[in-house]
Amino acid sequence: MDTSRLTAIDVHVHVLASVAETERSGGEAASLAGTFGKIPELTVPELAAYYRERSMGAVVFTVDSLTRTGRESRVSNEEIAEQAAEYPDTLIPFASVDPGRGAAGVRIARRLIEEHGVKGFKFHPSTQEFFPNDRAAYPLYEVIAEAGLPALFHSGQTGVGSGQRGGGGIRLKYSNPIHLDDVAVDFPDMPIVIAHPSVPWQDEALAVAGHKPQVYIDMSGWSPKYFPPQLVQHANSLLKKKVLFGSDFPAITPDRWLTDFAKLDLKDEVRPLILKENAIRLLGLADGTEQG
């Protein structure tokens, strides 16, 4: 990936449709409707075209929530990785493995790394129904850490199930970022990304990222005009090399995110760090090439 040609790297992009589907409806898009309204469901090739048009890179993934839903994801990790490999100038494939899969999940993660070349892993504690510091998830982290890959964790409130009866069965308690403090201690060489402004636990996220050198925060899922003031303050100072641009597309478009981001009171030298430079370091991208 030639990062010199990119204006930004969006580290949080959802793949909601498979190229094998003849109709697109339901699934995660439907569960987000209460918060974001009707949102587009794009395949990997469509996402590549979308981000190429904007001269951006994008980290793409699905969410495996087999434990709670009893169903496989609409788009498989294998499809995402194989199709993203056709657009290496634009897309960076992450995988998602539900920790509830146990030993089978560990085997799946290892295969996705060794045979499909995924570059990181996405976790959603609330939809996967696990606390990140549950030792049952540690064998899965061991595989990720051994490969030197980052793990990205949803944090805070979620649009999934919002407004539905009983919140669609989603429990917010799993996504308090303080649970990631244990993970950061026990896996000190595994980069960790705390996704989203972590409302109502923003201070916990800032504390963990400020204390643990391998912990980052992505700013996805919220328009920047709604960011908690302490997040903006830390992004502008102590955590300027630890904060990442993420949109949470298609829930929020990168266009809208960037328009509102331009209005934040940030130092000129901080903006390129957030938009691209911090992600280059996290993802091992340098001098236009991907580092092993």
XYZ file of all heavy atoms in Angstrom, residues 20 46 55 114 125 129 132 142 185 239 277-278 282:
101
model
N -22.280 -12.759 -2.970
C -23.131 -13.903 -3.314
C -24.616 -13.619 -3.103
O -25.472 -14.385 -3.551
C -22.727 -15.120 -2.491
N -17.324 -3.001 -3.688
C -17.980 -1.689 -3.660
C -17.299 -0.760 -2.665
O -17.160 0.448 -2.917
C -19.465 -1.864 -3.322
C -20.253 -2.506 -4.461
C -21.635 -2.968 -4.043
O -21.879 -3.123 -2.824
O -22.472 -3.198 -4.933
N -9.434 8.529 -2.265
C -7.983 8.398 -2.019
C -7.704 8.064 -0.560
O -6.798 8.620 0.061
C -7.238 9.675 -2.432
O -7.370 9.906 -3.811
N -2.690 -17.453 8.789
C -1.697 -18.181 7.996
C -2.105 -18.381 6.549
O -1.258 -18.319 5.644
C -1.416 -19.535 8.649
C -0.781 -19.418 10.033
C -0.617 -20.763 10.714
O -1.137 -21.769 10.170
O 0.020 -20.806 11.791
N -17.571 -6.795 22.275
C -17.965 -7.484 23.510
C -19.462 -7.526 23.770
O -19.969 -8.535 24.284
C -17.223 -6.695 24.593
C -16.006 -6.183 23.890
C -16.475 -5.828 22.507
N -21.154 -10.972 23.724
C -21.476 -11.329 25.106
C -20.288 -11.913 25.858
O -20.332 -13.045 26.353
C -22.671 -12.299 25.147
C -23.967 -11.652 24.708
C -25.209 -12.482 25.032
O -25.095 -13.716 25.087
O -26.274 -11.881 25.230
N -13.903 -8.589 27.844
C -12.608 -8.769 27.190
C -11.529 -9.394 28.065
O -10.618 -10.042 27.552
C -12.228 -7.339 26.782
C -13.541 -6.659 26.581
C -14.426 -7.222 27.661
N -3.721 -15.000 22.347
C -2.357 -15.524 22.207
C -1.988 -15.724 20.741
O -0.865 -15.443 20.323
C -2.212 -16.829 22.989
C -2.195 -16.634 24.503
C -2.327 -17.938 25.277
O -2.410 -19.005 24.615
O -2.367 -17.899 26.522
N -2.217 -5.471 30.049
C -1.172 -5.944 30.958
C -0.718 -7.348 30.574
O 0.478 -7.652 30.530
C -1.676 -5.931 32.415
C -0.705 -6.666 33.335
C -1.870 -4.498 32.895
N -2.414 12.284 23.980
C -2.675 11.093 23.168
C -2.626 11.389 21.669
O -3.176 10.627 20.873
C -4.038 10.493 23.532
C -4.196 9.968 24.960
C -5.577 9.345 25.157
C -3.105 8.966 25.308
N -1.061 9.199 9.983
C 0.258 8.786 10.463
C 0.188 7.765 11.606
O 0.987 6.817 11.653
C 1.074 10.010 10.897
C 1.306 11.021 9.784
C 1.991 10.412 8.572
O 2.870 9.537 8.762
O 1.655 10.789 7.436
N -0.742 7.948 12.527
C -0.852 6.985 13.634
C -1.272 5.605 13.134
O -0.792 4.576 13.632
C -1.847 7.493 14.679
C -1.344 8.736 15.405
O -0.151 9.037 15.395
N -2.260 9.472 16.022
N 0.566 1.964 13.544
C -0.167 0.843 14.141
C -0.208 -0.363 13.213
O 0.015 -1.500 13.652
C -1.596 1.275 14.478
C -2.584 0.150 14.820
C -2.222 -0.483 16.164
C -4.001 0.676 14.834
